[in-house]
Amino acid sequence: MITLSLAEIAEVVGGRMHDIPDASAQVTGPVVRDSREAGPGSLFVAFVGERVDGHDFASAVVEAGAAAVLGSRPVGVPAIVVDDVQAALGALARHVVRRLGTTLVALTGSAGKTSTKDLIAQVLRRMAPTVFTPGSMNNEVGLPLTALTATEETKFLVLEMGARGIGHIRYLCELTPPKVGLVLNVGSAHIGEFGGRDQIAQAKGELVEALLPAEEGGTAILNADDALVRAMASRTKAKVILFGESDEADVRAENVRLTDSGQPSFRLHTPSGASDVTMRLYGEHHVSNALAAAAVAHELGMSADEIATALSEAGSLSRWRMEVTERPDGVTVVNDAYNANPESMKAALRALVAMGKGRRTWAVLGKMAELGDEALAEHDAVGRLAVRLNVSKLVAVGGREARWLQLGAYNEGSWGEESVHVSDAQAAVDLLRSELRPGDVVLVKASRSVGLESVASALLETGAEGEVAAR
Ligand SMILES: Nc1ncnc2c1ncn2[C@@H]1O[C@H](COP(=O)(O)OP(=O)(O)OP(=O)(O)O)[C@@H](O)[C@H]1O
Ligand SMILES: [Mg+2]
């Protein structure tokens, strides 16, 4: 964060100073909401949560060196007091981002935001210092906190933006106005909350509506392969760059294939040259993510060769997304339990089959949450796809949705033990412990709320007679 005095911060957020002996005292950062992260020169943001009231930690953070608390009531130690802490945090981020003048890249979409954000950061940071969202901190609190970690050295600030309704992205864009706005896809994530795909498109498209006109440097980067995203071109005054596998895309992939280990390889075409990419990440869905990252990097001045090298060397920065681990006994565990939606389920199943060529493949799948009226049809479709792709064994874990999944597989023609339903994660672990054989490949995937990563970690413990080698 840049250095600001308490008086400056109070002015920016429209707050009142309480118990502050020296208004010229400097906040050097970081700005934190977790009291354990407060240190010398930091600003502690006190939120009143359902179970915890941040104000209760005011004395502790000041003892740890924090310059002040930003909160909604006086706390007996230096504090800037406002009516709305979230709005104040947003105003501070907006002020700092404006002053810094870094190039701000924002991205949204139904699936792949974090994976793509991690790719963009790994490509751009080869060119200049880059700050990016840690993990998935993409909401009205995480986004400003991330923006506030930028410093004078930061050339690129890459921010993931999430939405659970209309107006959310617009709000985030007001806090941190992007120069480059990328929309990945409009899928079914959170469709229950939004009410339908068109509403999701409406909400995600707020990103390109917020961009500056082309003459002032605004650039919208849109997925040419997704009709609802492609159509957002008419909602922006920014320059439009298309990425995808379609011929009309400015940044394209040709000769896309999965290697025998399930890693995508393709020829990257940009308006200024072409180069070959073989990724370290697993699953064909990363091609789209990589093209999106390439389009951003090309727009910001990198050559096709530089981008291709960076994409080929990029690793996974966030946990439980197609995390591939070899057990000493030759069983491969693919932990993709971070989250699931219909698109990512299908991509993960395809990756499983590619990396499991000639081996037994297991898909241990649970519910995809928040699908509203489409829940039955989507679970049915995933079960059917597992059979069509010839996955050797399907283990559907959990309640009603898992039954639909297994029934889809059954109706598509799986028989006997090829597809089974188990009631919970422990039952899945018990089954796998007794059935897995050396050489098998196991994919574990469900929505975040199911917590299937416990299955993946139990499987890794089981096989860990020696060191577990992570690829
Ligand atoms: N382009 C894509 N299309 C479909 N699925 C994808 C794509 N990219 C990643 N995924 C899968 O979607 C899941 C979520 O990925 P990721 O965390 O990158 O998405 P996200 O949009 O950041 O999710 P969240 O909304 O939880 O922040 C993972 O299981 C991943 O394998
Ligand atoms: Mg995310």
Side-chain angles (χ1 to χ4, degrees):
M1 139 123 184
I2 53 173
T3 301
L4 292 172
S5 71
L6 292 178
E8 279 175 292
I9 293 175
E11 192 188 327
V12 169
V13 304
R16 300 171 297 281
M17 292 192 275
H18 284 265
D19 307 298
I20 292 181
D22 176 12
S24 67
Q26 305 282 302
V27 172
T28 50
V31 180
V32 299
R33 70 173 298 186
D34 182 334
S35 60
R36 290 164 298 185
E37 290 168 10
S42 59
L43 178 69
F44 173 65
V45 187
F47 283 98
V48 180
E50 271 172 34
R51 274 172 300 160
V52 182
D53 182 351
H55 297 82
D56 294 345
F57 300 92
S59 308
V61 297
V62 169
E63 235 162 71
V69 175
L70 175 61
S72 50
R73 62 169 193 266
V75 278
V77 292
I80 296 169
V81 176
V82 293
D83 296 334
D84 182 341
V85 175
Q86 184 194 306
L89 175 64
L92 186 59
R94 185 177 155 78
H95 175 80
V96 166
V97 162
R98 265 207 197 145
R99 275 222 350 215
L100 284 175
T102 56
T103 298
L104 214 148
V105 178
L107 75 160
T108 192
S110 295
K113 296 182 290 296
T114 296
S115 311
T116 306
K117 175 263 301 172
D118 289 347
L119 283 176
I120 295 173
Q122 289 178 82
V123 177
L124 291 185
R125 74 184 179 195
R126 290 180 173 236
M127 198 165 31
T130 302
V131 165
F132 58 105
T133 307
S136 242
M137 292 203 351
N138 63 24
N139 67 11
E140 62 283 0
V141 176
L143 178 125
L145 284 176
T146 303
L148 284 165
T149 63
T151 66
E152 273 93 358
E153 281 75 53
T154 307
K155 180 75 174 45
F156 300 115
L157 179 55
V158 184
L159 296 175
E160 173 173 337
M161 292 187 172
R164 290 186 162 246
I166 300 289
H168 292 185
I169 302 272
R170 192 182 319 128
Y171 174 77
L172 298 177
C173 288
E174 279 163 14
L175 304 188
T176 53
K179 176 173 195 269
V180 178
L182 157 65
V183 186
L184 291 171
N185 44 47
V186 171
S188 349
H190 309 309
I191 198 164
E193 283 164 61
F194 276 100
R197 242 189 209 88
D198 290 338
Q199 280 84 346
I200 297 179
Q202 188 58 35
K204 304 278 178 204
E206 290 171 5
L207 177 56
V208 298
E209 288 176 347
L211 295 169
L212 288 171
E215 313 79 74
E216 293 170 48
T219 306
I221 299 193
L222 297 175
N223 187 348
D225 301 334
D226 184 317
L228 288 173
V229 176
R230 173 79 186 75
M232 289 177 195
S234 67
R235 290 170 62 186
T236 187
K237 295 197 176 68
K239 172 166 102 182
V240 172
I241 304 279
L242 298 177
F243 69 92
E245 290 180 41
S246 107
D247 287 343
E248 59 166 355
D250 304 287
V251 174
R252 288 191 329 278
E254 263 175 28
N255 301 331
V256 177
R257 59 180 201 91
L258 282 185
T259 65
D260 287 347
S261 50
Q263 293 159 310
S265 136
F266 57 93
R267 183 143 184 90
L268 168 70
H269 288 264
T270 75
S272 63
S275 197
D276 292 323
V277 177
T278 301
M279 300 186 78
R280 282 174 57 205
L281 304 180
Y282 296 86
E284 206 172 321
H285 53 300
H286 283 303
V287 175
S288 179
N289 300 345
L291 292 175
V296 170
H298 184 264
E299 181 59 24
L300 295 175
M302 279 175 87
S303 72
D305 281 341
E306 287 171 315
I307 298 169
T309 304
L311 287 174
S312 299
E313 290 174 7
S316 174
L317 302 185
S318 304
R319 287 180 314 170
W320 304 336
R321 290 166 179 83
M322 296 299 283
E323 216 171 88
V324 179
T325 312
E326 296 288 351
R327 277 188 358 188
D329 65 354
V331 169
T332 304
V333 177
V334 184
N335 181 357
D336 199 29
Y338 171 73
N339 218 341
N341 54 55
E343 294 79 20
S344 69
M345 275 288 194
K346 288 166 200 163
L349 283 173
R350 291 203 182 91
L352 167 69
V353 170
M355 70 176 77
K357 244 178 231 148
R359 303 162 68 179
R360 277 203 319 178
T361 50
W362 293 75
V364 183
L365 307 180
K367 150 171 128 169
M368 301 174 284
E370 300 172 343
L371 291 178
D373 294 344
E374 299 185 17
L376 196 158
E378 293 288 8
H379 286 89
D380 180 80
V382 168
R384 287 176 188 272
L385 183 67
V387 176
R388 275 185 220 147
L389 290 173
N390 244 337
V391 171
S392 322
K393 297 262 191 179
L394 171 71
V395 182
V397 189
R400 197 176 54 154
E401 291 82 355
R403 285 187 191 283
W404 291 338
L405 217 155
Q406 196 255 332
L407 208 58
Y410 177 78
N411 288 333
E412 189 67 27
S414 81
W415 46 273
E417 297 290 293
E418 273 181 358
S419 71
V420 294
H421 171 260
V422 296
S423 56
D424 57 25
Q426 188 54 50
V429 172
D430 294 343
L431 175 79
L432 290 161
R433 279 190 174 147
S434 67
E435 298 273 323
L436 282 180
R437 298 201 302 252
D440 288 358
V441 190
V442 193
L443 165 73
V444 182
K445 185 166 177 71
S447 267
R448 184 85 287 277
S449 55
V450 184
L452 273 200
E453 67 276 3
S454 66
V455 173
S457 55
L459 291 180
L460 293 173
E461 280 158 24
T462 318
E465 286 132 16
E467 279 279 288
V468 173
R471 276 200 216 163

